[in-house]
Amino acid sequence: MKHTIPLQPQQSQALAWLKQHPKGWLAMEQGLGKTRVALESLDAPALCVVPAFLRLNWQHEAKLWRPDLKVQIVTKQTSFARDADLCILSYEAAATLVPPAHFKTLVLDEARFAKNHKTERTKRCMNLAKKIPRVLLLDGTPMPNRPVELWPMAFAIGATRLMYRDWGFRYCAGRIGGWGGYDFRGASNMDELREWWKQWSFRCTKEEVGGLPDKTRRLVLLDGDPSVRERAFDVGEIRRNPNPVAFVGLAEVLHKHGERKAGNAVAYIDSLLPDNGPILVTARHKTVIDNMTRDLAKLKWRTAKITGETPFDEREKIVAAFNSGKSDVLVGNTRAMGAGLTLTGGCYGVSVEADWSYGQNVQVEDRLHRIGQTRPVQWDYLVIDRSIDYEIVKSIMLKEGRVERIMDDEARESMAELGI
């Protein structure tokens, strides 16, 4: 039986745009319903390539919005069903499988997964995008780090005739790097790039749509002397690098910071819960997530955990408990929580280990800040004062002009009274 829920205005506008643009980006911010728009617009048979953890979510959404479609999840162990209307496979599978040639629509969800033109999965996706008549590139944060990441799909769908090298020099402040290679980590001619982008994308933000409550971020400074090992790293150079964890040894330092923060984070969350629960808590490392989950449960808070290893069926139960107020805290892995979940039962989030990608942090925040949320959303980023951890997270947020507040001394003194 087909659903009867009407499209929201921005979804209707997106569908109208897609009818006029057979190939392009559907760049609606997280929580505005781009998955439904994509499903409503499909010309079957369609091929949908998604991150592995979103395969079952797409199957679930298809049953909800397009029950008329016969859906198949394709893995490395299965073959494509010729009578399937929608075939769903992961980017990992797309790197090795050869789909049949009959597909009319290609959907690349979280299209930034195909941003590196050197990887096999990107090469395969580029080849598919060239051959299939309709291509929808879905990404709420389509350019999370650098303009160079736009090139593979832009070239594949015919949005640019510039080759990789030419694109890099025009839009990425390209220069000759060490050993004769190219450095395309920068940005240039951004006004021109933005005008180009408007022609090839339907962009819709929450601010434009309106109706959603405010979202506020702040940095919460935790006491603790920075590790002596930090002296080996140049903070300025790390800030300029789009992938700071690439610095040898720094990833280990940051992991130790996460473990050091875990105890104070639990105390901080414990102080928030009586007035702000349920709370979503995110971190990057398994040990940090496991330790916080254990310690919060010891404090008698109803605690759940989601990582990349959590089965889809169990995820649904955990999400339902969070949204219904049957759990107090949900602790999740930053990447595993970045898409496919609606957690509007809570309005408070705490990031214990932020991601280096601003776009990834926004995706996690938008588990709370999306359609269905009725309360203002607060996100606290916990950082160790005067550390690299603090400097990098602050610079990421300040670069986007998105830090509303850095917790002041008076607030920190109140935290100290709590033993945090």
Side-chain angles (χ1 to χ4, degrees), residues 128-199:
L128 289 170
K130 290 177 183 178
K131 294 180 177 179
I132 296 176
R134 297 196 67 235
V135 181
L136 304 183
L137 305 169
L138 273 59
D139 211 323
T141 51
M143 195 166 58
N145 285 323
R146 296 168 287 176
V148 71
E149 297 171 359
L150 283 172
W151 179 82
M153 286 303 112
F155 185 77
I157 66 174
T160 182
R161 294 182 180 180
L162 295 177
M163 301 301 289
Y164 175 75
R165 177 182 177 278
D166 300 323
W167 178 279
F169 278 105
R170 184 158 193 83
Y171 297 121
C172 310
R175 60 186 180 87
I176 304 297
W179 304 99
Y182 300 117
D183 183 348
F184 293 151
R185 293 178 295 176
S188 53
N189 295 313
M190 292 305 292
D191 289 341
E192 179 182 322
L193 185 61
R194 277 189 285 268
E195 288 303 313
W196 166 87
W197 173 253
K198 290 178 183 178
Q199 299 175 36

Side-chain angles (χ1 to χ4, degrees), residues 54-69:
L54 286 180
R55 289 175 299 180
L56 291 173
N57 184 71
W58 265 87
Q59 184 182 51
H60 173 79
E61 292 286 308
K63 288 181 179 178
L64 177 62
W65 303 118
R66 289 294 304 273
D68 57 305
L69 298 178

